[in-house]
Amino acid sequence: MLGLMGQGMLKTCAIFILTLIGSIPFGMVVCRLRKSSFAPVRYITKFYISVMRGTPLMLQLLVWYFAPYYLFRMNIADWRFPAIIVGFVMNYAAYFAEIYRGGVDSMPVGQYEAAEILGYSKMQTFFKIIMPQVAKRVLPAVTNETITLVKDTSLAFTLAYQELFSVTKQVAATGTSMVPFAVAALFYYVANYVVAFVMEKIEKKLDYYK
Amino acid sequence: MKVLEMQNIGKSFNDLEVLRDISLEVDHGEVVSIIGPSGSGKSTLLRCATFLEKVDFGKIKYLGKPATMVNDENRAMYVGSSQLAEIKNYFSLVFQNFNLFPHYSVIKNITEAPLSVQHRDKEEVMEDAHKLLRKMGLEAKANAYPYQLSGGQQQRVAIARALAMKPEILFFDEPTSALDPELTAEVLKVIRQLADEKMTMVIVTHEMPFARAVSDRVIFIDGGVIVEQGDPEIVLGNPQQARTRQFLQTYQR
Ligand SMILES: Nc1ncnc2c1ncn2[C@@H]1O[C@H](COP(=O)(O)OP(=O)(O)O)[C@@H](O)[C@H]1O
Ligand SMILES: [Mg+2]
């Protein structure tokens, strides 16, 4: 039982880590596009964000998984795990993008003007001046989102992926026992404890300026 | 050689005409002070000169290089962005509220743009920065962060940051208006020192004794037009226009 569940935990961790690695930077790109001065880009990005936030992630995962088959008759045998990661990254990037946008909009205009006077390009201004300060401002909201992600990984069961939640259900059913549930709960709880601990450390690290 | 030439500048925000047919020329080494009541267009003039705002009418040139061209109706058209980027190297602007980068240390505030915008040699940039800090009396603060400094210290860092770009001309928009009187003095002292070194400067200020002491020329702006300009002793000591006299009376203690 523990062996199976251990494997499930590893897979859950894989979803969690790959989603963060993908969506935290991709969210920045989405945020940038959402604030593009070219209106069509802005509207398309806005639409993408509203779809990602306005439909169930579970449904999105199903679409990512089955779309290649229904649209292009592609073989999706090896597409299960990639589809999960793409689905999670696309969804979480939308949420992160909106969090970043709130942070970006709270930046005083003087920071942009100082950067412009010093000759920074728009790109440089965004990545050197604005984003680092926004990072500090949005950290609490990002922590919330990350804690939600730990729990959301269980949605991968929709695609019959053998992460912790799927495995737990099976193991509990065959063994007719409550123990697997308790183990899974403990795992999610500890994982979030670690997340909170790490985020607090990062917050402290950014405490060097006000 | 004229460092800056602005000719027949006009600027409106929607229906509000803020600058009307203003011309401003600044010689190399000249110190020009701009005075005038709140809302008269002083900041807008500096923001137009530094491209933070776009003018509607008139010519702007730096060191003879045009930033705008005009058509028959004097309507301004800006030159291409690569030419503008080159011209931007000629000036810098010191803000009323400093606008330092809070996430950078003092030394990084000063060196970041020379390194990543001007791509200058790192050793040379560091050396220049430390010289500037010494000049500002802030050597000990190189590794401090802006929030750890007083307003006067922050403004001196902002001046050092502007100077590190080696501009031909430096604009100041009320550099001491956000400061207490005792902090004002230390910033004015630094600007006066720059004037002694023949730094070309345009300074918007309400510090009349300072303007009188430091300027080669004083310009009084009201309602978006230049009402009077000339020798500081005349404009501030014996103004020819009634509006100038009226304005100066409000500043007498
Ligand atoms: N971005 C803007 N949009 C609309 N009106 C503005 C803007 N900036 C300045 N103004 C208006 O232009 C006038 C001149 O402002 P400003 O140049 O800041 O004056 P000063 O610096 O002399 O106090 C004021 O009436 C002000 O309200
Ligand atoms: Mg002003």
Side-chain angles (χ1 to χ4, degrees), chain B residues 14 26 147 167 171 180 186:
Chain B
N14 303 317
V26 184
Y147 80 93
F171 296 93
D180 298 335
E186 64 187 45

Side-chain angles (χ1 to χ4, degrees), chain B residues 16-35:
Chain B
L16 181 69
E17 197 178 23
V18 178
L19 300 178
R20 208 147 25 104
D21 202 32
I22 282 205
S23 295
L24 169 65
E25 300 193 341
V26 184
D27 279 324
H28 188 78
E30 194 180 15
V31 177
V32 177
S33 288
I34 299 177
I35 60 170

Side-chain angles (χ1 to χ4, degrees), chain B residues 42-43 96 173-174 204:
Chain B
K42 306 180 296 296
S43 294
Q96 180 174 345
D173 192 359
E174 302 198 28
V204 171

Side-chain angles (χ1 to χ4, degrees), chain A residues 25 32 44 70 116 138 154-155 159 166 181 199:
Chain A
R32 189 74 196 75
I44 291 169
Y70 286 118
E116 193 175 338
V138 302
S154 59
L155 291 174
L159 300 187
S166 306
F181 292 137
M199 295 309 269

Side-chain angles (χ1 to χ4, degrees), chain A residues 37-203:
Chain A
S37 49
F38 185 57
V41 169
R42 206 164 55 234
Y43 288 127
I44 291 169
T45 313
K46 205 170 158 180
F47 179 68
Y48 153 73
I49 291 172
S50 77
V51 170
M52 289 293 115
R53 301 206 303 175
T55 61
L57 176 52
M58 210 186 272
L59 186 62
Q60 291 169 24
L61 290 174
L62 287 169
V63 170
W64 285 112
Y65 182 55
F66 287 111
Y69 172 73
Y70 286 118
L71 294 179
F72 309 111
R73 296 286 150 189
M74 280 159 60
N75 180 353
I76 54 173
D78 293 330
W79 172 242
R80 189 186 309 272
F81 184 65
I84 290 169
I85 299 305
V86 169
F88 270 97
V89 167
M90 295 301 276
N91 181 273
Y92 269 78
Y95 281 95
F96 282 134
E98 285 300 276
I99 291 174
Y100 298 158
R101 191 166 67 93
V104 169
D105 288 347
S106 75
M107 288 293 295
V109 65
Q111 292 289 302
Y112 291 93
E113 293 185 344
E116 193 175 338
I117 289 289
L118 290 168
Y120 285 104
S121 68
K122 277 200 165 150
M123 272 301 201
Q124 286 177 317
T125 303
F126 191 70
F127 286 108
K128 280 176 181 284
I129 307 302
I130 304 304
M131 253 311 164
Q133 296 185 59
V134 167
K136 185 177 165 113
R137 288 172 192 226
V138 302
L139 209 57
V142 168
T143 302
N144 274 338
E145 226 29 68
T146 307
I147 285 171
T148 305
L149 174 61
V150 170
K151 295 175 283 180
D152 270 1
T153 53
S154 59
L155 291 174
F157 95 95
T158 325
L159 300 187
Y161 185 66
Q162 295 292 308
E163 44 67 61
L164 180 59
F165 186 74
S166 306
V167 174
T168 303
K169 262 179 41 178
Q170 290 157 18
V171 172
T174 46
T176 56
S177 155
M178 279 287 288
V179 177
F181 292 137
V183 172
L186 187 66
F187 171 82
Y188 287 116
Y189 181 78
V190 170
N192 268 330
Y193 193 87
V194 172
V195 167
F197 179 80
V198 170
M199 295 309 269
E200 200 176 315
K201 277 266 180 284
I202 298 177
E203 252 173 76

Side-chain angles (χ1 to χ4, degrees), chain B residues 230-250:
Chain B
D231 189 286
E233 294 305 320
I234 296 177
V235 177
L236 296 174
N238 182 21
Q240 307 300 298
Q241 300 292 328
R243 263 155 87 191
T244 317
R245 277 197 291 278
Q246 217 171 30
F247 169 72
L248 287 174
Q249 263 160 20
T250 62

